[in-house]
């Protein structure tokens, strides 16, 4: 495990402090959560601020642990500044995709750093597709690129079928942000691992084809 960078600590601290403020102050939570009606009224800050709010401690802990494990990979192989670009860009793209999919649902709302964190996860997978991921409930290591592809395919399925109280579209938008921004920052990946770049693009292309066909 790489040493955690100060910028990661700052981002985690910001998520914790803002989330706990929201836990105890519903007015604050309601004012800064992602809300289609609020965005339509011109409150674009919600597209950003909602990424630092969480529903509860479990939601916050899951996102911050994921960030803690994968941020060092992005920081080491890109740079701290590039990491911030991927994080913020993925957060915003996740919110924008959610808005695009729910723009006719005036009361739709969501919170969480999932879009930004998924962007970091997908960036790390793109940079280190040879990584193996371990899960408590699966006794064997899973190649990172297999997890990335399956995760986005499940997100498409979740978006199509409205599975659970989960912002699958924000997760997907975040992953797309992590993918695109990482390739802009590190174009050498096209030469170093073109096959993996193409494989990780498959779910992204599939979503846009399904969207154009009106299937999601």
């Amino acid at each position: 495990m790489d040493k955690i960078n100060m910028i990661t600590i700052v981002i985690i601290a910001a998520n914790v402090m803002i989330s706990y403020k929201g836990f105890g102050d519903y007015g604050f939570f309601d004012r800064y959560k992602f809300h289609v009606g609020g965005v339509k009224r011109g409150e674009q800050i919600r597209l950003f601020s909602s990424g630092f709010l969480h529903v509860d401690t479990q939601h916050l802990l899951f996102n911050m642990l994921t960030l803690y494990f994968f941020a060092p990979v992005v920081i080491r192989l890109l740079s701290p500044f590039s990491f911030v670009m991927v994080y913020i860009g993925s957060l915003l793209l996740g919110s924008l995709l959610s808005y695009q999919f729910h723009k006719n649902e005036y009361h739709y709302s969501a919170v969480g750093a999932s879009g930004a964190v998924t962007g970091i996860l997908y960036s790390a997978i793109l940079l280190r597709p040879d990584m193996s991921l371990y899960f408590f409930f699966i006794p064997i290591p899973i190649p990172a690129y297999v997890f990335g592809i399956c995760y986005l395919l499940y997100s498409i399925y979740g978006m199509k079928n409205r599975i659970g109280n989960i912002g699958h579209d924000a997760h997907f938008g975040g992953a797309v942000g992590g993918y695109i921004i990482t390739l802009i920052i590190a174009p050498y990946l096209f030469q170093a691992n073109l096959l993996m770049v193409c494989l990780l693009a498959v779910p992204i292309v599939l979503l846009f084809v399904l969207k154009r066909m009106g299937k999601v």
Side-chain angles (χ1 to χ4, degrees):
M1 171 62 65
D2 297 328
K3 184 178 179 180
I4 188 168
N5 188 278
M6 180 56 67
I7 190 63
T8 309
I9 295 174
V10 169
I11 289 175
I12 290 175
N15 273 277
V16 170
M17 289 189 292
I18 294 171
S19 291
Y20 270 89
K21 169 68 174 173
F23 293 162
D25 185 343
Y26 184 75
F28 177 86
F29 183 90
D30 191 58
R31 187 160 58 250
Y32 292 109
K33 68 182 181 181
F34 174 83
H35 182 261
V36 170
V39 175
K40 283 181 177 290
R41 292 194 301 268
E43 299 166 7
Q44 278 80 18
I45 186 64
R46 292 175 181 270
L47 297 171
F48 179 75
S49 60
S50 59
F52 291 88
L53 291 168
H54 290 80
V55 172
D56 53 33
T57 302
Q58 182 179 354
H59 185 205
L60 172 65
L61 182 62
F62 179 81
N63 276 334
M64 293 305 100
L65 278 176
T66 304
L67 181 63
Y68 174 82
F69 284 117
F70 289 98
V73 177
V74 179
I75 291 171
R76 176 168 56 84
L77 296 179
L78 294 180
S79 71
F81 179 73
S82 296
F83 164 77
V84 173
M85 289 180 62
V86 173
Y87 187 91
I88 294 177
S90 299
L91 189 164
L92 292 174
L93 195 54
S95 292
L96 288 170
L97 192 67
S98 286
Y99 182 77
Q100 179 63 32
F101 273 80
H102 299 282
K103 61 185 177 182
N104 295 322
E105 302 171 44
Y106 188 87
H107 295 292
Y108 179 85
S109 63
V111 294
S114 299
V117 172
T118 304
I120 294 299
L121 170 64
Y122 220 68
S123 177
I125 292 172
L126 192 58
L127 291 164
R128 283 287 312 277
D130 58 318
M131 286 191 304
S132 292
L133 306 180
Y134 295 85
F135 300 93
F136 293 116
F137 50 87
I138 301 177
I140 58 174
I142 300 175
Y145 72 91
V146 172
F147 173 80
I149 292 170
C150 291
Y151 182 85
L152 289 198
L153 290 176
Y154 175 73
S155 292
I156 293 174
Y157 178 76
M159 291 160 66
K160 180 177 174 58
N161 295 281
R162 299 292 182 96
I163 295 176
N165 188 26
I166 300 171
H168 295 284
D169 33 27
H171 294 182
F172 198 99
V176 173
Y179 178 84
I180 292 174
I181 297 169
T182 300
L183 289 176
I184 291 173
I185 295 171
Y188 70 84
L189 292 170
F190 285 106
Q191 290 185 325
N193 212 336
L194 180 60
L195 176 60
M196 202 57 60
V197 170
C198 293
L199 282 175
L200 291 171
V202 169
I204 297 172
V205 174
L206 177 62
L207 174 67
F208 286 104
V209 170
L210 290 174
K211 177 64 175 174
R212 190 171 182 83
M213 294 172 61
K215 300 295 185 181
V216 291

